[in-house]
Amino acid sequence: MNLNDLARRIALKEGGKVNLSIAQVKEVLRLALEELAKREEAEVIRTLRRYRKWGR
């Protein structure tokens, strides 16, 4: 997974009143991934499955 590409896609989707730079998105991703890494794998998978349906 290329985090630069992921951050770019997120920044483009965000498009709200306050636009985030790719660097800001990457920082938020890093923080989120650090938190996810502290969790049990089953919990992370359940969370990912919850959001999978929204991305389709």
Side-chain angles (χ1 to χ4, degrees):
M1 174 185 310
N2 184 315
L3 292 183
N4 286 327
D5 290 340
L6 181 58
R8 190 173 294 112
R9 286 196 312 260
I10 291 170
L12 289 172
K13 278 186 172 183
E14 191 267 332
K17 288 184 179 181
V18 177
N19 289 322
L20 295 174
S21 71
I22 292 172
Q24 289 171 312
V25 172
K26 284 180 70 176
E27 179 65 13
V28 171
L29 276 173
R30 183 186 66 78
L31 295 169
L33 291 171
E34 283 179 1
E35 288 300 315
L36 288 173
K38 296 176 187 176
R39 314 287 180 189
E40 294 294 325
E41 287 181 28
E43 183 181 1
V44 173
I45 291 169
R46 280 193 305 272
T47 301
L48 290 173
R49 285 185 178 150
R50 185 179 328 142
Y51 287 94
R52 178 182 291 169
K53 62 183 175 189
W54 292 345
R56 294 183 186 211

